[in-house]
Amino acid sequence: MKATDKLRLELDAHSSTATSGADSPYGSSAGLGTATFTRGTTSVDFTKDFPVLSIVAAPLDPSTMLVTGSTFRNSYMKSGVDQVQFKGKYKFDNGSGLDFGVASTTVNNRTAFSNVQRDTWGGATSAADYPDSVWKLDSLRQYFGQINGSSDPALFNQFYTFDFETVRALAAKASGDPSLYLASNVFTTDRRVKEKSQSAHLQYNIGFDLVVPMQLAVGGRYEKTDVTSTALVPTATGINWVGNNEFTVQFGAPGFTTLTGSYSHFLPSIDWDMDLNSQTKVRASYGETIGRPSWDAIQGGQTLNQLARLDGGTGAQGNPALKPLKSKNFDLSAEYYYAKASYVALGLFVKNVDNFIGVTTTQGTPFNLTTPANGALFKEAVAQGCAESDLTCIRNYIFTNYDGQKGVTRGPDDANGNKTGTIAGQPGTRWRRLPSPHRSISALTASRVWSSTGNTCSARAALASPPITPRSPRA
């Protein structure tokens, strides 16, 4: 809007939303494990591009096929942005001008998740619950025919495919509880982050002659951001050993937690250029900028991944109080326009960056969880003759001697006569999270750039400094 001959004003407001979620009763992703529990002499040849798996004396038989473990995940994401900004330009009599403005922005991000998982890896029901006709025999070789090794006659070439809905319905019927094979709309993890930013900027622009024509822009921007992170996360209550290398974290009722954070910055900027002649221009500038943390890094609430291993498990926790990275930027360049729409330029820039955000994992015992791995029963089985690496022997010993005691629940034996069931963690052996590598990102980048642009060519070269180790916001 042109308020006067010297003053222009502008008001802008908008609101936008984006969502993503499941579009089927199976959730956003689902999986059914199947097995026949037969095994012959097995070998693998890795000398070719396609590893050749050979299994002797173990023909496939549809009458032995059954569903084992399963998972039905339901993920939901929603992002919304509401923004209002008011800005203007004012021209002074000497040709200089003033740019100004204020803005308010609110960003809401939400992610929610639920998982219906059965850890029945030794068999969910019985092979008799599935007609032979539901298993469709297929050959592996036809899908990898262009890879060296796929034509090897020693390759175990057969496997079964199946119609997902048919087999899922059969498993649900056999279990007696159809909800075990459908996604849940009751989210057990629900994270919501709200970022509210308010800003104001002012910049003075002027052109003048000082031996040669020059232009100068000096200004600054002030910004304040408040972060509120609310998270509904499940409370871990224990760990069960459900398969040789399968440990699952057990969860109780979820609970909401709210964490907050805030930061404010003043960001100055100076831009200057001069025309040495009609073909040559020199530019220099200095400015400070910020880069916000990604929204997943500032969402609160500690979550543990449901699947763990013998040596521990993993989880994650964000930090709503994270500060943005801040960069001090220096630029200097010279440009020579040797023809219409063609020029050669030489530039130098230096960026000094603070507050890089890294990700690392620390060891700990969240929720004071205990694990059956290397616990008293585990060690007793080893003392009675099981090798520490023979998890089948250890589990068989525990189920034989402690069924119904000390958190041990024995299930049916599998087709090979090995015992199945769950072994719960008992007081005395703590669960831990394992360390993982962190990212290294350079905090100072200095580059020398040369470029030439014309009708037919463009070139650019740059050199950057080595990386350093950043701080870590996650536990």
Side-chain angles (χ1 to χ4, degrees):
M1 178 184 72
K2 189 175 181 181
T4 69
D5 291 341
K6 297 181 178 182
L7 178 63
R8 284 184 169 273
L9 301 175
E10 182 179 334
L11 178 65
D12 175 72
H14 79 271
S15 178
S16 59
T17 301
T19 60
S20 174
D23 60 358
S24 88
Y26 311 139
S28 48
S29 65
L32 289 175
T34 61
T36 181
F37 292 116
T38 57
R39 187 67 176 269
T41 303
T42 304
S43 62
V44 183
D45 179 5
F46 290 103
T47 62
K48 300 174 182 178
D49 294 338
F50 188 83
V52 178
L53 174 67
S54 177
I55 303 177
V56 180
L60 289 180
D61 181 356
S63 67
T64 63
M65 288 288 292
L66 74 162
V67 169
T68 59
S70 59
T71 180
F72 292 81
R73 304 179 184 92
N74 190 8
S75 299
Y76 175 79
M77 291 177 286
K78 182 178 181 180
S79 179
V81 179
D82 298 303
Q83 185 178 57
V84 177
Q85 56 181 351
F86 173 77
K87 57 185 179 180
K89 294 177 178 289
Y90 185 82
K91 291 184 178 180
F92 295 102
D93 293 335
N94 62 357
S96 61
L98 190 67
D99 299 337
F100 58 91
V102 294
S104 177
T105 304
T106 301
V107 179
N108 288 284
N109 282 296
R110 180 189 179 194
T111 59
F113 175 77
S114 66
N115 185 27
V116 178
Q117 180 166 318
R118 299 200 73 193
D119 296 308
T120 50
W121 305 110
T125 54
S126 167
D129 297 319
Y130 307 92
D132 292 358
S133 59
V134 303
W135 310 111
K136 311 298 182 182
L137 191 64
D138 204 347
S139 62
L140 183 68
R141 182 174 291 117
Q142 63 176 316
Y143 299 105
F144 301 94
Q146 300 301 313
I147 303 177
N148 178 37
S150 61
S151 61
D152 193 310
L155 176 68
F156 190 79
N157 189 43
Q158 295 181 319
F159 69 100
Y160 286 117
T161 63
F162 57 90
D163 178 71
F164 185 89
E165 167 54 23
T166 300
V167 173
R168 185 209 65 82
L170 289 169
K173 180 180 178 181
S175 72
D177 185 357
S179 67
L180 296 175
Y181 292 90
L182 290 173
S184 173
N185 291 322
V186 179
F187 296 120
T188 54
T189 299
D190 194 340
R191 290 171 165 168
R192 309 179 187 198
V193 177
K194 179 179 180 179
E195 290 181 278
K196 187 172 183 178
S197 299
Q198 296 176 320
S199 64
H201 73 271
L202 186 69
Q203 179 173 288
Y204 180 69
N205 310 292
I206 187 171
F208 57 93
D209 287 335
L210 188 64
V211 182
V212 294
M214 298 183 183
Q215 292 81 38
L216 179 66
V218 180
R221 175 185 178 89
Y222 175 79
E223 181 166 316
K224 184 179 187 301
T225 298
D226 296 311
V227 179
T228 302
S229 175
T230 302
L232 173 71
V233 295
T235 301
T237 58
I239 298 176
N240 285 350
W241 189 5
V242 299
N244 271 21
N245 195 34
E246 303 285 342
F247 294 78
T248 59
V249 180
Q250 306 301 302
F251 297 100
F256 266 108
T257 61
T258 299
L259 300 173
T260 61
S262 65
Y263 55 85
S264 59
H265 289 277
F266 176 72
L267 307 171
S269 66
I270 302 174
D271 291 286
W272 167 87
D273 67 71
M274 68 175 179
D275 300 320
L276 294 179
N277 53 50
S278 61
Q279 294 177 292
T280 308
K281 181 181 286 288
V282 176
R283 304 179 190 269
S285 66
Y286 169 80
E288 297 181 13
T289 55
I290 59 173
R292 303 179 191 279
S294 60
W295 74 267
D296 60 324
I298 58 176
Q299 59 187 4
Q302 182 184 78
T303 58
L304 304 182
N305 296 325
Q306 186 171 6
L307 181 62
R309 296 298 184 190
L310 183 69
D311 54 359
T314 57
Q317 180 172 336
N319 181 4
L322 280 178
K323 306 301 181 184
L325 63 83
K326 188 173 183 179
S327 176
K328 296 180 179 180
N329 314 297
F330 303 84
D331 293 86
L332 179 65
S333 67
E335 304 163 4
Y336 175 69
Y337 295 82
Y338 57 87
K340 186 177 181 180
S342 299
Y343 71 95
V344 60
L346 178 65
L348 170 69
F349 73 88
V350 175
K351 295 171 67 73
N352 192 346
V353 184
D354 293 322
N355 291 338
F356 263 109
I357 299 168
V359 178
T360 190
T361 304
T362 59
Q363 295 188 23
T365 307
F367 303 102
N368 292 316
L369 291 176
T370 57
T371 174
N374 296 310
L377 301 185
F378 188 104
K379 292 177 180 177
E380 181 180 320
V382 173
Q384 292 299 317
C386 292
E388 191 170 348
S389 60
D390 191 348
L391 302 182
T392 299
C393 177
I394 294 171
R395 285 172 60 82
N396 282 339
Y397 175 88
I398 295 174
F399 286 127
T400 299
N401 293 281
Y402 289 98
D403 181 27
Q405 308 173 57
K406 298 184 177 183
V408 178
T409 304
R410 180 174 171 178
D413 293 355
D414 65 21
N416 295 320
N418 293 313
K419 298 165 181 59
T420 68
T422 61
I423 304 169
Q426 299 297 303
T429 304
R430 298 296 184 185
W431 183 81
R432 63 192 178 92
R433 284 182 288 170
L434 299 178
S436 64
H438 53 254
R439 297 181 298 183
S440 293
I441 312 174
S442 61
L444 175 63
T445 301
S447 296
R448 293 182 294 275
V449 180
W450 175 87
S451 64
S452 176
T453 303
N455 295 328
T456 60
C457 68
S458 178
R460 180 181 175 91
L463 176 66
S465 66
I468 66 166
T469 302
R471 63 187 175 90
S472 171
R474 291 199 176 194

